[in-house]
Amino acid sequence: MTKEQTPTTPETAGPRPRRLTYAAVLTALEGLGLAVGGVWVLVLGLAGDPDDRQQAVTLGVTLIVLALLPLLAARGLFAQRSWSRGPSVITQILALPVAYSLLQADSIAIPAGIAIAAAAIATLVLLINQETTQALGIRGPGNAPDQK
């Protein structure tokens, strides 16, 4: 690739801030959790005795595919790619209703809901932090360079 295709800005040339690393780790953990959950449901659907085998397999495959979004976002965050913040933020926003529904359950799912909510909120805070934004080379509205 040429320099024009992969430009490096002064903001992204430096070392990765801790907040960005923490956000990448949390995003990767969420992706791994989805992948593990998907494999678990898939194995139970194939080897166990589910009510509806097709539905279990479909859910397992869906969770595995959904795990790709946060895993790719985490990889981009580790590499300080500006595009990676969007998918990670989307993952966190989608995790909040899941956490809320788990918190409404009267079961052992409540601790999982607390963990998911805490991870999603912490990751959102880390992703919108000014240090993280600068490290990713993201400019705010009205700060785009003039193109004349």
Side-chain angles (χ1 to χ4, degrees):
M1 296 200 136
T2 65
K3 233 179 183 177
E4 291 81 27
Q5 291 173 328
T6 56
T8 55
T9 60
E11 295 87 9
T12 61
R16 183 176 50 246
R18 277 191 197 158
R19 290 181 176 125
L20 182 57
T21 303
Y22 296 154
V25 168
L26 286 171
T27 302
L29 287 174
E30 290 170 339
L32 286 174
L34 276 170
V36 167
V39 169
W40 183 58
V41 170
L42 186 62
V43 167
L44 285 179
L46 292 174
D49 189 24
D51 293 336
D52 187 0
R53 186 175 309 271
Q54 183 178 2
Q55 187 176 12
V57 170
T58 302
L59 176 62
V61 170
T62 301
L63 288 175
I64 292 169
V65 171
L66 285 175
L68 292 175
L69 181 67
L71 290 173
L72 289 173
R75 184 171 185 251
L77 290 171
F78 275 120
Q80 290 183 278
R81 304 284 188 242
S82 61
W83 61 263
S84 61
R85 188 172 84 160
S88 185
V89 168
I90 290 168
T91 300
Q92 308 321 310
I93 291 171
L94 292 174
L96 290 173
V98 172
Y100 179 77
S101 66
L102 291 174
L103 290 171
Q104 299 302 312
D106 246 356
S107 68
I108 197 162
I110 292 174
I114 293 170
I116 291 171
I121 291 169
T123 307
L124 278 172
V125 168
L126 291 168
L127 287 171
I128 62 171
N129 184 283
Q130 183 178 5
E131 185 179 332
T132 302
T133 302
Q134 289 174 349
L136 293 173
I138 298 172
R139 296 183 182 93
N143 292 331
D146 292 331
Q147 296 181 2
K148 292 183 179 182

